[in-house]
Amino acid sequence: MSHIVILTGAGISAESGLGTFRDTDGLWTRYDLNEVATPEGFARNPQLVHDFYNARRANCQGAQPNAAHRALARLQSEHSGRVTIITQNVDDLHERGGTRDVIHMHGVLSGALCAACDHRWAATQIMSPDDRCPACHRTATRPDIVWFGEMPYRMAEIDRHLSTADLFVAIGTSGNVYPAAGFVAEAHAAGAETLELNLEPSTMAGTFDAARIGPASQVVPEWVSGLLDPP
């Protein structure tokens, strides 16, 4: 396996205390996603959007990488070939777990973006509609997060990785959100083997060659150990 491409979703961070869209009592359930995760919602009520992401940023800061994050860092460090990590998550748990060069296709909580001039900089812990862009000085600061209806980041780069993958692995993803849900088909078309590691089968489960079902903190380290420490 000279090139392993791994896509991670909310399920890999859930055991670190970061909720998923499907949680019944988490942070997401207290907000209307149309109001806090769309450009239109931001235009209507930027304070509400900032309040939501300030809460998510604080939640993320209090979380710690789990065994799944650390296992992927080990794989990237010890695998004889190349390991590319693509994540739908906006937290930094992969990096804090030791992974390098993570592709954050949906942006990062630690980033700020000017909606007027596209300048990017490090976000403060508490952001507000009164924050001025350090480049153009307009009060158009928003979280550097890809919202519903916006194009994910670095898609051309992701496509190149998928086209050269020998193994594609999806970890903790629901299979409901495109374009990420289509990565398995793209990798398969390029000749890669495909594997799903998930708490339960995703909506795309039937398109993978194989699957391992269970908590990420269990199945990911077991899978990595099987690759790096064969009997």
Side-chain angles (χ1 to χ4, degrees), residues 12-144:
I12 197 171
S13 295
E15 292 175 79
S16 294
L18 301 186
T20 71
F21 284 112
R22 293 175 290 175
D23 288 346
T24 58
D25 58 354
L27 179 64
W28 293 105
T29 63
R30 302 198 294 270
Y31 292 85
D32 180 346
L33 295 183
N34 289 321
E35 298 302 321
V36 297
T38 65
E40 295 79 12
F42 182 69
R44 284 191 296 269
N45 193 340
Q47 184 63 63
L48 178 68
V49 173
H50 279 302
D51 287 345
F52 174 69
Y53 284 99
N54 289 340
R56 291 194 69 190
R57 201 173 294 111
N59 188 21
C60 178
Q61 191 174 52
Q64 296 297 322
N66 62 51
H69 297 105
R70 293 190 293 271
L72 293 185
R74 181 195 173 205
L75 177 64
Q76 189 183 60
S77 176
E78 299 182 18
H79 178 55
S80 59
R82 185 178 184 185
V83 177
T84 300
I85 307 291
I86 305 163
T87 188
Q88 297 171 277
N89 300 338
V90 296
D91 61 63
D92 63 351
L93 295 182
H94 278 303
E95 287 86 350
R96 284 196 271 149
T99 301
R100 305 177 308 277
D101 303 320
V102 181
I103 298 174
H104 284 269
M105 61 182 295
H106 291 159
V108 288
L109 287 168
S110 59
L113 168 67
C114 179
C117 73
D118 288 335
H119 181 66
R120 287 178 167 82
W121 65 100
T124 56
Q125 185 63 29
I126 302 296
M127 295 173 61
S128 85
D130 296 327
D131 294 341
R132 292 188 178 274
C133 169
C136 72
H137 308 294
R138 294 177 63 178
T139 52
T141 297
R142 55 166 281 184
D144 190 9

Side-chain angles (χ1 to χ4, degrees), residues 161-173:
H161 287 304
L162 292 171
S163 70
T164 61
D166 298 294
L167 173 64
F168 172 76
V169 185
I171 302 173
T173 62

Side-chain angles (χ1 to χ4, degrees), residues 162-205:
L162 292 171
S163 70
T164 61
D166 298 294
L167 173 64
F168 172 76
V169 185
I171 302 173
T173 62
S174 66
N176 291 320
V177 179
Y178 282 86
F183 289 175
V184 58
E186 192 172 345
H188 184 75
E193 295 181 31
T194 58
L195 171 68
E196 178 175 64
L197 307 178
N198 220 339
L199 184 62
E200 58 188 32
S202 72
T203 57
M204 303 298 294

